[in-house]
Amino acid sequence: MTFVVGENCIKCKYTDCVEVCPVDCFYEGPEFLVINPDECIDCALCEPACPAEAIFPEDELPDDQQVFLKINARQAGRWPNITEKKPPCPDAEQWENQPDKRQHLPEDVLTLLDEQ
Ligand code: SF4
Ligand code: F3S
């Protein structure tokens, strides 16, 4: 199993999650973080640490966010590792829980949405 960063991280990116991860398995894109499923040890520390409640255990990922499993796995190999907390995205609080945030992902990630 792995934990998965879901849609509500987009345009928030609070990064509290990276502070608690014992194996440093978060990777950073421009608007969003992902978890490397091959490195995650399922410790569950990141889930309650996220103010946006954006992180799920794989088996509790909502049906409409299943594509984020693929997005986390692929982008973890493409984006740089992040191990320290940094300031969130501008207007993060306003973006929290907004619908359809996935449209703001980078172009190469959006192609995965087309493939689902
Ligand atoms: Fe890191 Fe644990 Fe979260 Fe996996 S479940 S990403 S190991 S904090
Ligand atoms: Fe994103 Fe939550 Fe981490 S908003 S950066 S998953 S703390």
Side-chain angles (χ1 to χ4, degrees):
M1 229 215 1
T2 181
F3 279 63
V4 182
V5 183
E7 185 156 22
N8 210 24
C9 178
I10 298 167
K11 287 201 169 282
C12 291
K13 204 161 84 170
Y14 288 114
T15 67
D16 300 77
C17 52
V18 305
E19 291 260 289
V20 299
C21 181
V23 294
D24 292 341
C25 65
F26 282 88
Y27 294 80
E28 183 182 17
E31 314 275 10
F32 169 66
L33 298 194
V34 293
I35 292 168
N36 184 334
D38 296 330
E39 295 173 342
C40 174
I41 58 168
D42 302 332
C43 73
L45 290 175
C46 56
E47 185 184 0
C50 174
E53 299 184 354
I55 300 177
F56 300 89
E58 181 178 358
D59 59 3
E60 290 177 23
L61 191 65
D63 285 348
D64 66 349
Q65 296 195 50
Q66 287 297 316
V67 70
F68 282 84
L69 257 179
K70 206 196 295 185
I71 291 173
N72 277 244
R74 191 183 76 156
Q75 295 311 118
R78 298 181 177 206
W79 285 341
N81 194 220
I82 173 169
T83 58
E84 289 181 6
K85 185 171 165 58
K86 58 193 275 188
C89 292
D91 303 321
E93 284 180 24
Q94 283 84 341
W95 279 103
E96 227 177 288
N97 298 316
Q98 292 292 319
D100 296 326
K101 290 201 286 182
R102 61 187 73 183
Q103 64 185 300
H104 301 290
L105 289 167
E107 203 60 43
D108 64 316
V109 182
L110 287 175
T111 59
L112 286 179
L113 301 181
D114 295 337
E115 286 168 14
Q116 70 178 307

